[in-house]
Amino acid sequence: MKLKLIVCAAALTLPTFLFSATAGAAKSDSCAHCHGTDGNSTSSAYPSLAGQTREYIYRQIKAFKEGSRKNSMMSTAVVVLSDQDMQDLAEYFSGQTMVRSTAKTDPAIIEQGKRIAAEAQCVACHQPNFKGLNEFPRVSRQKYPYIVKQLKDFRDGARVSDVMGPTAQNLTDEQIEALAQYLTSL
Ligand code: HEC
Ligand code: HEC
C-alpha cells in the first residue's frame, strides 16, 4: 500500500507536458491528412499548426467543437475529442517547428503589407515578427490563401472575434492580400 502511494506521487511529479505531447502525437493521426504529420500542412487550403501557440490551438479546437467558430471539415474532425485530447493535441502541435511557406510573393507587395501592418500596429498583439503569444496566434509563415480567407472572414463576419472584427473591418481585398503576402514571407 505504502509502495503504491510512493509510485503514484512520483508519477505526479513528472512534468505533465511530457505526457501530453506524447499522447498528442498519438492522437494527431486523424489531423495529419489535412494539417500534415508534423503540423506543416501540405495543402495551402489548410493552416499549419506547427509552432502555433498552445493556448491558441486549444481555444480554436474548442471553438470548432462548441460551434462558435464554423467550418464543416473541422467540426467533423473534432466532434469526438475530449478536453484532455484537445490539451494533448495543442501541446503536441505547438512543439513542432513551422517551416517557411513556399508561396510565390512579390517584394513590392510584401513592402506594402509591411506598411499596412505597421500602421495598424498588429504586432502590439501578435508580438514582434508575428510570432504570437498565448491567445494571440502566431501568423508568421502561415499559408497565404489561409490568411487571406481568415482576414476576409473577420471582415465579413463569417469568423467572429471582438478583436479582429474591428481590426479587419475597413481592409480592402487588396490590403488583405498585401498583408497576407507579408505575413507568409516572414
Ligand atoms: C478534412 C481536413 C481537416 C482535418 C481532418 C482536420 N482539420 Fe483542422 N482545419 C481544417 C481547415 C480547412 C481549417 C481552417 C478552417 C477555416 O477556414 O476557418 C482548420 C483549422 C484548424 C485549426 C485552427 C488553426 C488556426 O490557425 O486558427 C486548428 C487548431 C485545427 N484545425 C486543428 C485540428 C486538429 C487538432 C485536427 C485533428 C483532430 C484537425 N484540425 C483535423 C481542416 C482539417
Ligand atoms: C488587439 C489585438 C490584435 C490586433 C491589434 C490584431 N490582432 Fe490579429 N488576432 C488577435 C486575436 C486575439 C486573434 C484570434 C481571434 C480568435 O480567437 O478567433 C487574431 C487572429 C488573427 C488572424 C487569424 C490567425 C489564424 O491562425 O487563424 C490573422 C491572420 C490576424 N489576426 C492578423 C492580424 C493583422 C494582419 C493585424 C493588423 C492589421 C492584426 N491581426 C491585429 C488579436 C489582434
Side-chain angles (χ1 to χ4, degrees):
M1 184 66 189
K2 205 174 177 190
L3 184 68
K4 209 170 169 187
L5 277 176
I6 293 167
V7 172
C8 286
L12 284 173
T13 55
L14 284 173
T16 46
F17 66 84
L18 197 67
F19 290 110
S20 299
T22 314
K27 291 171 186 171
S28 68
D29 278 359
S30 66
C31 324
H33 177 63
C34 298
H35 294 290
T37 42
D38 63 350
N40 281 290
S41 75
T42 44
S43 157
S44 54
Y46 308 125
S48 284
L49 306 175
Q52 182 54 276
T53 76
R54 183 179 54 182
E55 177 77 15
Y56 175 77
I57 297 178
Y58 172 73
R59 284 181 183 223
Q60 296 306 310
I61 302 175
K62 211 170 149 73
F64 283 119
K65 176 148 186 183
E66 289 169 354
S68 55
R69 183 172 171 187
K70 294 185 191 350
N71 177 269
S72 56
M73 284 181 250
M74 273 306 293
S75 37
T76 313
V78 300
V79 76
V80 297
L81 300 182
S82 67
D83 195 69
Q84 184 65 53
D85 294 337
M86 298 186 208
Q87 290 183 38
D88 292 348
L89 286 161
E91 187 72 50
Y92 170 67
F93 284 117
S94 64
Q96 306 302 306
T97 305
M98 193 191 265
V99 297
R100 177 163 276 125
S101 160
T102 51
K104 265 201 194 138
T105 47
D106 175 332
I109 296 179
I110 291 176
E111 267 312 304
Q112 194 191 335
K114 194 174 177 179
R115 269 199 309 276
I116 302 167
E119 277 163 27
Q121 298 185 327
C122 315
V123 293
C125 295
H126 289 280
Q127 305 297 300
N129 243 3
F130 286 87
K131 66 176 171 27
L133 181 71
N134 300 332
E135 72 269 35
F136 300 116
R138 168 186 183 148
V139 275
S140 60
R141 299 187 180 181
Q142 189 52 280
K143 303 283 178 194
Y144 170 77
Y146 173 76
I147 301 174
V148 170
K149 177 176 182 288
Q150 298 313 305
L151 290 175
K152 287 184 179 172
D153 281 356
F154 285 130
R155 180 190 64 189
D156 305 337
R159 180 173 171 188
V160 179
S161 160
D162 293 349
V163 178
M164 282 306 296
T167 301
Q169 201 175 21
N170 297 316
L171 294 175
T172 63
D173 285 1
E174 198 197 347
Q175 287 173 319
I176 286 178
E177 279 151 27
L179 280 166
Q181 283 216 15
Y182 167 57
L183 296 176
T184 207
S185 75
L186 289 171

